[in-house]
Amino acid sequence: MLTYQTAGESHGKGIAALVDGFPAGVPLDLNVVDGELRRRQGGYGRGGRQTIETDAAEILTGVLHGASMGSPILLWVKNRDYKLESMPELTRPRPGHGDLTGSVKYGTGIRPILERSSARETAGRVAAGALARLLLRELEIEVVGYVESVGDVDLTPCAETLTQTPSEMREIRDATQVFSLRPDLDEEATRAIDAAKEAGDTLGGVVVARVFNVPFGLGTHAQWSSKLDGRLAQAVAAIQAFKGVEIGDGFKLARVPGSQAHDEILWNENQRDARTLGFVRPTNRAGGIEAGMTNGQPIVVRAAMKPIPTLRKPLRSVDLVTKEPVEASFERSDACAISAASVVVENVVAFEIAAAIVEKFGGDSLEEIKARLKLFNESVATRLENGNWNV
Ligand code: EPS
């Protein structure tokens, strides 16, 4: 089983990610991991912390001669802003953060809760996800994440953009300041962020991750906890400040009749060798997943991030010591972190796909995974050829 855990505090010595069950023989190009870490620090509207940090990952274990060994991999992202011991205790919980709930639950005061629940921890998730992408890369699976709205600025990509290759989409996205696929609306989005910042406020938004060239049959219908849509939802809903996740057309499907909600199955002889194995769909409303299993179509995950709760113009709160009405505490904040969040979503989604690959095709080595993927496709092709489905 491919899994990961993180450790570390926002102003502690650093953030660690322990990746367990990573197959042997995957070339580990740290530039890819560092590239994603640097992207996570970027995007319009980021706060002061990102001018202090230059995130890069060190691999402390599990690598030999530039490739994974099949043993646990410990990634370490050092914090330059290490000052945990000298950070002041806080008594004015910020609504929307874990300040109140965590300090009541753990009896620790706000500081320890804030330090661990900070989105700084997503550096560890991105490092683990980017590592998983090195495995996906070997199987030609690609993930692209982008911002679909900033506050109420709609950045839905044009249909034509979505027919482009993943690298063309990345090129469009990386030329924008908010990491969207709408360069024509980039200025409108940055203006909205500027306006929120000026008002001492913050903005959330919507992000999308698309996974291309996904093999048929990842995940399972057989047990709720192994359904791939459920796992993706867990991974994404667990990102700081995320409040909603949908797969494919998600909530939209609740408002249309069944005749307009599904993806009809057609046969295309010429696409037998594609990931769809010849079963073509004119639409992809299901977002590539039916009954918890991939159907060879691109996976589409969409998620909603609330505005960051740390506000320069703070909300009302109560002092934990005096119980007097006060303004919530403020140290520093990001006016908008939706661009960074799109990088986090992209990488946690990548991790779940890699985990599902390891589960379906065997986990010991890249060579074994490749051979089993080939075997699976060949056995489906044989069944299609001779029509033998054991019926
Ligand atoms: C973040 C680092 C944090 C915050 C932000 C995200 O650094 P600091 O607390 O030193 O400013 O800037 O976290 C939040 C606003 C939050 O709500 O968690 C990062 O590296 O992503």
Side-chain angles (χ1 to χ4, degrees):
M1 234 170 59
L2 177 60
T3 61
Y4 77 100
Q5 302 277 301
T6 69
E9 287 77 33
S10 184
H11 303 97
K13 289 184 177 169
I15 305 289
L18 179 64
V19 180
D20 196 29
F22 197 83
V26 179
L28 296 186
D29 180 357
L30 261 189
N31 289 324
V32 170
V33 178
D34 290 346
E36 290 304 289
L37 286 173
R38 292 294 292 146
R39 270 195 340 108
R40 192 203 70 91
Q41 290 195 269
Y44 200 82
R46 287 292 255 164
R49 179 69 183 270
Q50 306 314 326
T51 58
I52 301 172
E53 305 292 344
T54 310
D55 288 344
E58 201 183 335
I59 297 190
L60 299 180
T61 66
V63 61
L64 182 65
H65 306 314
S68 55
M69 302 160 66
S71 49
I73 297 173
L74 185 57
L75 295 155
W76 178 246
V77 182
K78 197 175 165 183
N79 287 337
R80 285 195 181 167
D81 204 18
Y82 167 44
K83 54 183 182 189
L84 185 57
E85 300 294 340
S86 60
M87 297 297 278
E89 187 41 275
L90 304 162
T91 59
R92 295 175 289 141
R94 298 160 302 167
H97 278 302
D99 299 2
L100 176 64
T101 47
S103 40
V104 168
K105 177 174 159 69
Y106 286 89
T108 52
I110 292 172
R111 176 60 62 189
I113 306 302
L114 173 165
E115 286 291 333
R116 178 62 186 153
S117 54
S118 163
R120 172 85 193 138
E121 181 264 348
T122 60
R125 299 196 212 189
V126 167
L131 194 81
R133 290 173 89 141
L134 297 175
L135 167 60
L136 297 185
R137 192 168 77 167
E138 297 296 323
L139 306 170
E140 290 161 16
I141 300 167
E142 303 220 41
V143 191
V144 179
Y146 58 89
V147 172
E148 200 179 63
S149 72
V150 170
D152 63 3
V153 181
D154 184 357
L155 302 169
T156 303
C158 310
E160 178 193 313
T161 307
L162 295 177
T163 62
Q164 306 211 325
T165 64
S167 56
E168 285 167 341
M169 282 187 216
R170 267 185 223 115
E171 208 171 298
I172 297 172
R173 176 198 69 193
D174 294 344
T176 67
Q177 297 191 74
V178 299
F179 302 175
S180 84
L181 296 177
R182 290 298 296 267
D184 54 322
L185 297 175
D186 205 32
E187 236 181 85
E188 196 178 322
T190 58
R191 266 204 308 272
I193 296 170
D194 287 341
K197 190 173 181 181
E198 226 158 89
D201 219 328
T202 57
L203 285 182
V206 172
V207 304
V208 175
R210 289 178 185 263
V211 193
F212 298 94
N213 215 22
V214 191
F216 220 103
L218 303 185
T220 176
H221 66 298
Q223 191 56 263
W224 68 269
S225 51
S226 299
K227 288 185 169 224
L228 189 60
D229 37 12
R231 286 186 178 181
L232 288 167
Q234 145 93 61
V236 173
I239 298 169
Q240 286 82 342
F242 275 76
K243 285 296 197 186
V245 185
E246 63 178 24
I247 309 293
D249 283 356
F251 282 78
K252 235 194 266 171
L253 296 177
R255 295 192 296 269
V256 297
S259 55
Q260 293 164 38
H262 303 288
D263 308 306
E264 291 185 305
I265 304 171
L266 309 178
W267 176 250
N268 185 338
E269 188 67 31
N270 299 328
Q271 292 206 14
R272 273 183 175 223
D273 293 332
R275 296 295 208 202
T276 58
L277 305 174
F279 295 104
V280 179
R281 309 300 185 95
T283 51
N284 185 22
R285 293 158 175 153
I289 301 177
E290 290 168 309
M293 295 173 279
T294 55
N295 62 11
Q297 295 274 101
I299 293 177
V300 184
V301 182
R302 181 174 286 99
M305 183 194 195
K306 68 182 181 181
I308 287 176
T310 308
L311 301 177
R312 193 161 46 76
K313 258 198 195 151
L315 298 172
R316 288 184 299 169
S317 185
V318 171
D319 189 290
L320 290 182
V321 177
T322 65
K323 275 82 83 194
E324 293 293 320
V326 286
E327 287 189 336
S329 57
F330 176 81
E331 277 167 5
R332 66 182 163 210
S333 186
D334 303 22
C336 184
I338 193 68
S339 312
S342 73
V343 182
V344 182
V345 169
E346 181 174 334
N347 283 287
V348 301
V349 163
F351 195 95
E352 294 312 312
I353 303 304
I357 291 271
V358 169
E359 186 181 84
K360 166 119 183 79
F361 297 111
D364 292 337
S365 71
L366 175 61
E367 199 185 340
E368 203 176 349
I369 290 174
K370 280 185 173 170
R372 289 196 182 163
L373 172 57
K374 192 161 166 269
L375 182 71
F376 172 70
N377 287 341
E378 283 168 1
S379 74
V380 176
T382 306
R383 267 183 278 155
L384 285 169
E385 201 61 53
N386 61 23
N388 182 3
W389 294 83
N390 294 325
V391 286

